[in-house]
Amino acid sequence: MEWGVSDLACRRGEALVLRGVSFRVPDGRAVAIRGPNGVGKTTLLRTLAGLAAPVAGSIDAPDEAFAYGAHADALKDQLTVAENLSFWAAIFGTGADAVSRAVQAFGLAPLLRRRAADLSAGQRRRTGLARMMLTGRPIWLLDEPTVSLDAENVARFADAVRAHLAEGGSAAIATHIDLGLDADPLNLGAFAAAAPTRADDPFAEAIE
Amino acid sequence: MIALVARDLRLAIRAGGGFGLGLGFFLIFVTLTALGVGPTEAVLAPLAPGALWLGALLACLLSLDRIFALDREDGSLDALLTAPLPPEAVAVSKALAHWITTGLPLTVAAPVLAPLLFLPPSALPWLIAALAVGTPALSAIGTFGAALTVGLRRGSLLLSLIVLPMYVPTLVFGADCVRRAAQGLDPTLPLVLTAALTLGAIALLPFATAAALRVNLR
């Protein structure tokens, strides 16, 4: 589905970090969100996902269209990979087919019966990314998805995103490296709000 | 919702899940009360209803900070709140899972431990009834407190301070029900009031919990 945002302003905690963000993403396209640390890539993705309300502006896609893949992989250490994946499939109502497709796409079959606590960082990451396929949602929001992945698995991930785009989905990916995807760049530096003043706000510090 | 409750129960019984934590605490609390106050019936019997309820309440409190904090740490909470499940359903599921892992075992264990405190056998059915209808309120209130403090570092102390005052009505009526039963009076009125508190908590607090979660994840 085609979607976009217009004149969006976002905040992280009490600090306004982005303002005037406008872009459109057509069907089957990905947008690569770039910018230096702290510019607000994660904040933008959380706002899009509906986890934070925008300060101003609008997002012309329903909350239910977005699937959010954060830094954390949303895996439970005590559960096996299979249990983790089928839990998320049940929550998103996508069923066993989606699980087997996700397992195939990320080569997780040998790890299915292993507890998430016993996975390496890269294996955890792959399982976390496989979760995106279980949401069945058209727009993937991914925050540094390739952290801890080796070259082979970056390629696997790029294939999964390409397959998703080919089905008419779309994606917004915050990343510092080139994924080999044909993505439209979006440099957030252009939308950075003025430096926030919150150094002397003890309340903001307490609720951080 | 069923998937979420089932996952939480499965997590509770796996290693490090803390299923037996509240129960073990309750056992130790009752034993220490008996040892500390003096093991005679004349001293312990009047204390028994209050001590048993207090033990159950503190045991409930122990596991509250795990309800949302663990899910927040590993990112599950973000994922749950962007899922098709409304946050109110997440709140109900979490409270239900907490009750099944703490309130229910406490209710079952209480009549076994009550004789340690010389609670008259005639009061045992009322102890079970009062805990069965009272502990769901403890879980619902506790889930609300956990949602309020989920974004805070070291929020568990604050959580206790927020939650304990809200536990007072349930403690008062629940303990009163058992005390009346022990003294041979009619315990129905406090039991009904305990049930009313629980129904009110279950009906209203999931909405407050969901609102607190939304605010705290900003």
Side-chain angles (χ1 to χ4, degrees):
Chain A
M1 62 182 288
E2 179 173 341
W3 62 285
V5 306
S6 54
D7 205 23
L8 196 71
C10 317
R11 63 180 187 189
R12 182 196 306 123
E14 298 299 307
L16 188 68
V17 290
L18 292 168
R19 62 163 50 129
V21 184
S22 301
F23 60 86
R24 292 208 65 77
V25 185
D27 265 359
R29 295 291 298 172
V31 52
I33 301 172
R34 295 181 190 277
N37 288 151
V39 74
K41 299 186 290 292
T42 300
T43 307
L44 176 63
L45 292 179
R46 288 183 69 85
T47 308
L48 291 174
L51 287 166
V55 180
S58 62
I59 303 164
D60 72 352
D63 275 354
E64 299 80 49
F66 294 104
Y68 176 50
H71 289 285
D73 292 312
L75 299 181
K76 286 291 173 194
D77 277 351
Q78 302 96 319
L79 300 183
T80 63
V81 169
E83 285 168 338
N84 270 299
L85 292 178
S86 37
F87 167 69
W88 288 113
I91 289 288
F92 283 89
T94 43
D97 300 353
V99 174
S100 49
R101 274 190 293 125
V103 165
Q104 180 130 36
F106 286 94
L108 294 171
L111 304 173
L112 277 180
R113 303 183 61 169
R114 202 180 286 184
R115 290 190 321 147
D118 303 333
L119 297 180
S120 77
Q123 290 169 333
R124 284 185 75 91
R125 195 71 229 181
R126 276 151 63 194
T127 315
L129 290 171
R131 189 176 66 79
M132 302 307 288
M133 296 185 65
L134 303 177
T135 60
R137 291 187 165 179
I139 307 170
W140 290 0
L141 306 170
L142 295 165
D143 200 348
E144 304 288 357
T146 51
V147 171
S148 353
L149 291 187
D150 58 21
E152 182 196 348
N153 283 302
V154 170
R156 252 187 198 140
F157 164 71
D159 286 343
V161 174
R162 263 192 291 270
H164 176 65
L165 298 180
E167 287 167 12
S170 103
I173 306 171
T175 180
H176 290 288
I177 65 164
D178 187 33
L179 299 175
L181 286 169
D182 176 25
D184 308 322
L186 172 75
N187 190 353
L188 277 191
F191 306 112
T197 52
R198 50 170 286 195
D200 55 356
D201 185 352
F203 184 68
E205 214 165 87
I207 61 172
E208 177 71 9
Chain B
M1 267 182 80
I2 295 167
L4 182 54
V5 175
R7 183 200 68 158
D8 273 13
L9 295 182
R10 189 178 281 168
L11 284 173
I13 54 173
R14 294 277 163 94
F19 178 66
L21 203 68
L23 207 54
F25 178 85
F26 188 53
L27 171 68
I28 292 169
F29 181 89
V30 171
T31 318
L32 291 187
T33 309
L35 290 173
V37 178
T40 57
E41 184 170 357
V43 183
L44 277 176
L47 284 180
L52 285 167
W53 258 94
L54 205 55
L57 191 143
L58 294 175
C60 251
L61 198 64
L62 269 190
S63 46
L64 286 183
D65 62 339
R66 309 170 63 99
I67 294 182
F68 289 119
L70 296 183
D71 275 349
R72 183 186 157 87
E73 273 166 28
D74 63 21
S76 303
L77 194 57
D78 282 347
L80 275 177
L81 292 183
T82 53
L85 207 60
E88 288 80 5
V90 173
V92 172
S93 311
K94 285 284 178 181
L96 180 62
H98 181 261
W99 183 73
I100 294 175
T101 51
T102 47
L104 189 61
L106 289 177
T107 307
V108 174
V112 181
L113 295 175
L116 273 177
L117 300 179
F118 295 99
L119 188 77
S122 63
L124 284 184
W126 294 99
L127 176 68
I128 299 171
L131 283 173
V133 300
T135 45
L138 302 185
S139 292
I141 296 170
T143 307
F144 170 57
L148 276 180
T149 53
V150 70
L152 300 176
R153 285 193 210 111
R154 299 181 204 87
S156 53
L157 182 63
L158 186 62
L159 171 62
S160 315
L161 291 181
I162 292 173
V163 162
L164 278 175
M166 293 198 280
Y167 277 178
V168 169
T170 299
L171 173 69
V172 168
F173 293 122
D176 194 41
C177 171
V178 184
R179 189 178 312 114
R180 280 172 177 246
Q183 292 168 348
L185 303 169
D186 178 18
T188 22
L189 180 63
L191 185 67
V192 170
L193 286 171
T194 312
L197 286 168
T198 297
L199 290 176
I202 294 174
L204 298 176
L205 284 175
F207 297 100
T209 308
L213 284 178
R214 287 196 192 97
V215 170
N216 266 335
L217 285 181
R218 298 269 155 90

